[in-house]
Short mmCIF file of all heavy atoms in Angstrom, two decimals:
data_model
loop_
_atom_site.label_atom_id
_atom_site.label_comp_id
_atom_site.label_asym_id
_atom_site.label_seq_id
_atom_site.Cartn_x
_atom_site.Cartn_y
_atom_site.Cartn_z
N ASN G 337 249.64 71.24 82.99
CA ASN G 337 250.82 72.11 82.82
C ASN G 337 251.97 71.50 83.60
O ASN G 337 252.15 71.76 84.79
CB ASN G 337 250.49 73.52 83.32
CG ASN G 337 251.55 74.53 82.91
OD1 ASN G 337 252.68 74.16 82.63
ND2 ASN G 337 251.18 75.80 82.89
N SER G 338 252.76 70.69 82.92
CA SER G 338 253.82 69.95 83.61
C SER G 338 254.93 70.86 84.12
O SER G 338 255.69 70.49 85.01
CB SER G 338 254.41 68.89 82.68
OG SER G 338 254.92 69.51 81.51
N SER G 339 255.03 72.07 83.55
CA SER G 339 256.10 72.98 84.02
C SER G 339 255.88 73.42 85.45
O SER G 339 256.79 73.93 86.10
CB SER G 339 256.18 74.21 83.10
OG SER G 339 254.98 74.96 83.18
N HIS G 340 254.64 73.25 85.93
CA HIS G 340 254.34 73.64 87.31
C HIS G 340 254.52 72.49 88.28
O HIS G 340 254.31 72.66 89.46
CB HIS G 340 252.91 74.18 87.41
CG HIS G 340 252.77 75.56 86.83
ND1 HIS G 340 251.71 76.37 87.16
CD2 HIS G 340 253.56 76.26 85.99
CE1 HIS G 340 251.85 77.53 86.51
NE2 HIS G 340 252.96 77.47 85.79
N CYS G 341 254.89 71.33 87.72
CA CYS G 341 255.03 70.18 88.62
C CYS G 341 256.27 70.36 89.48
O CYS G 341 257.30 70.84 89.05
CB CYS G 341 255.16 68.88 87.81
SG CYS G 341 253.64 68.45 86.95
N SER G 342 256.15 69.95 90.71
CA SER G 342 257.29 70.03 91.63
C SER G 342 257.13 68.95 92.68
O SER G 342 256.07 68.37 92.83
CB SER G 342 257.35 71.42 92.28
OG SER G 342 256.18 71.65 93.05
N SER G 343 258.21 68.69 93.37
CA SER G 343 258.14 67.70 94.45
C SER G 343 259.05 68.14 95.58
O SER G 343 260.00 68.89 95.38
CB SER G 343 258.55 66.32 93.93
OG SER G 343 259.89 66.36 93.50
N SER G 344 258.72 67.70 96.72
CA SER G 344 259.57 67.98 97.89
C SER G 344 259.53 66.78 98.79
O SER G 344 258.58 66.00 98.76
CB SER G 344 259.07 69.24 98.62
OG SER G 344 257.76 69.02 99.10
N SER G 345 260.57 66.62 99.57
CA SER G 345 260.60 65.46 100.46
C SER G 345 261.29 65.85 101.75
O SER G 345 262.06 66.79 101.81
CB SER G 345 261.34 64.29 99.80
OG SER G 345 262.66 64.68 99.52
N SER G 346 260.96 65.11 102.73
CA SER G 346 261.62 65.26 104.03
C SER G 346 261.71 63.88 104.62
O SER G 346 261.25 62.90 104.04
CB SER G 346 260.81 66.21 104.94
OG SER G 346 259.57 65.62 105.25
N SER G 347 262.26 63.84 105.78
CA SER G 347 262.44 62.54 106.40
C SER G 347 261.10 61.90 106.76
O SER G 347 261.01 60.70 106.89
CB SER G 347 263.30 62.68 107.67
OG SER G 347 262.68 63.61 108.55
N SER G 348 260.04 62.74 106.90
CA SER G 348 258.76 62.18 107.35
C SER G 348 257.69 62.13 106.27
O SER G 348 256.76 61.36 106.36
CB SER G 348 258.22 63.00 108.54
OG SER G 348 258.06 64.37 108.14
N SER G 349 257.80 62.97 105.20
CA SER G 349 256.72 62.99 104.21
C SER G 349 257.21 63.50 102.87
O SER G 349 258.28 64.09 102.77
CB SER G 349 255.57 63.88 104.70
OG SER G 349 256.02 65.23 104.82
N SER G 350 256.43 63.30 101.81
CA SER G 350 256.72 63.84 100.49
C SER G 350 255.41 64.24 99.85
O SER G 350 254.36 63.69 100.15
CB SER G 350 257.46 62.81 99.64
OG SER G 350 256.64 61.70 99.42
N SER G 351 255.45 65.24 98.94
CA SER G 351 254.22 65.68 98.27
C SER G 351 254.57 66.21 96.89
O SER G 351 255.72 66.54 96.61
CB SER G 351 253.52 66.78 99.08
OG SER G 351 254.34 67.93 99.18
N SER G 352 253.57 66.28 96.00
CA SER G 352 253.77 66.83 94.66
C SER G 352 252.52 67.59 94.26
O SER G 352 251.43 67.35 94.78
CB SER G 352 254.07 65.71 93.66
OG SER G 352 252.95 64.86 93.55
N SER G 353 252.65 68.53 93.34
CA SER G 353 251.50 69.29 92.86
C SER G 353 251.71 69.67 91.41
O SER G 353 252.84 69.77 90.93
CB SER G 353 251.29 70.56 93.71
OG SER G 353 252.39 71.43 93.54
N CYS G 354 250.60 69.91 90.70
CA CYS G 354 250.68 70.40 89.33
C CYS G 354 249.46 71.28 89.07
O CYS G 354 248.44 71.16 89.75
CB CYS G 354 250.78 69.27 88.32
SG CYS G 354 249.36 68.17 88.29
N SER G 355 249.57 72.16 88.08
CA SER G 355 248.51 73.11 87.77
C SER G 355 247.69 72.62 86.60
O SER G 355 248.23 72.21 85.57
CB SER G 355 249.13 74.47 87.43
OG SER G 355 248.13 75.35 87.00
N LEU G 356 246.36 72.66 86.76
CA LEU G 356 245.45 72.33 85.67
C LEU G 356 244.82 73.63 85.18
O LEU G 356 244.43 74.48 85.97
CB LEU G 356 244.36 71.38 86.15
CG LEU G 356 244.85 70.04 86.71
CD1 LEU G 356 243.67 69.21 87.19
CD2 LEU G 356 245.65 69.29 85.66
N VAL G 357 244.73 73.79 83.89
CA VAL G 357 244.18 75.01 83.30
C VAL G 357 242.93 74.66 82.53
O VAL G 357 242.96 73.83 81.63
CB VAL G 357 245.19 75.69 82.37
CG1 VAL G 357 244.58 76.96 81.77
CG2 VAL G 357 246.47 76.02 83.14
N CYS G 358 241.81 75.33 82.90
CA CYS G 358 240.56 75.14 82.18
C CYS G 358 240.39 76.35 81.26
O CYS G 358 240.33 77.48 81.73
CB CYS G 358 239.39 75.05 83.15
SG CYS G 358 237.82 74.72 82.38
N SER G 359 240.35 76.11 79.97
CA SER G 359 240.39 77.23 79.02
C SER G 359 239.21 77.20 78.07
O SER G 359 238.89 76.17 77.49
CB SER G 359 241.69 77.16 78.22
OG SER G 359 241.72 78.16 77.24
N SER G 360 238.54 78.33 77.92
CA SER G 360 237.50 78.45 76.90
C SER G 360 238.16 78.82 75.58
O SER G 360 239.25 79.36 75.55
CB SER G 360 236.48 79.54 77.30
OG SER G 360 237.08 80.80 77.23
N VAL G 361 237.49 78.52 74.46
CA VAL G 361 238.08 78.81 73.16
C VAL G 361 237.25 79.81 72.36
O VAL G 361 237.52 80.05 71.21
CB VAL G 361 238.24 77.52 72.33
CG1 VAL G 361 239.24 76.60 73.01
CG2 VAL G 361 236.90 76.81 72.17
N LEU G 362 236.20 80.40 73.01
CA LEU G 362 235.36 81.38 72.33
C LEU G 362 235.30 82.66 73.15
O LEU G 362 235.36 82.64 74.38
CB LEU G 362 233.93 80.85 72.17
CG LEU G 362 233.64 79.92 70.99
CD1 LEU G 362 232.15 79.56 71.01
CD2 LEU G 362 234.00 80.56 69.67
N SER G 363 235.16 83.77 72.46
CA SER G 363 234.89 85.04 73.13
C SER G 363 233.38 85.24 73.18
O SER G 363 232.71 85.20 72.15
CB SER G 363 235.54 86.19 72.36
OG SER G 363 236.94 86.07 72.40
#
Side-chain angles (χ1 to χ4, degrees):
N337 192 338
S338 58
S339 64
H340 285 199
C341 292
S342 62
S343 63
S344 62
S345 61
S346 66
S347 58
S348 59
S349 63
S350 64
S351 63
S352 64
S353 65
C354 63
S355 174
L356 300 179
V357 180
C358 184
S359 176
S360 69
V361 295
L362 278 182
S363 294

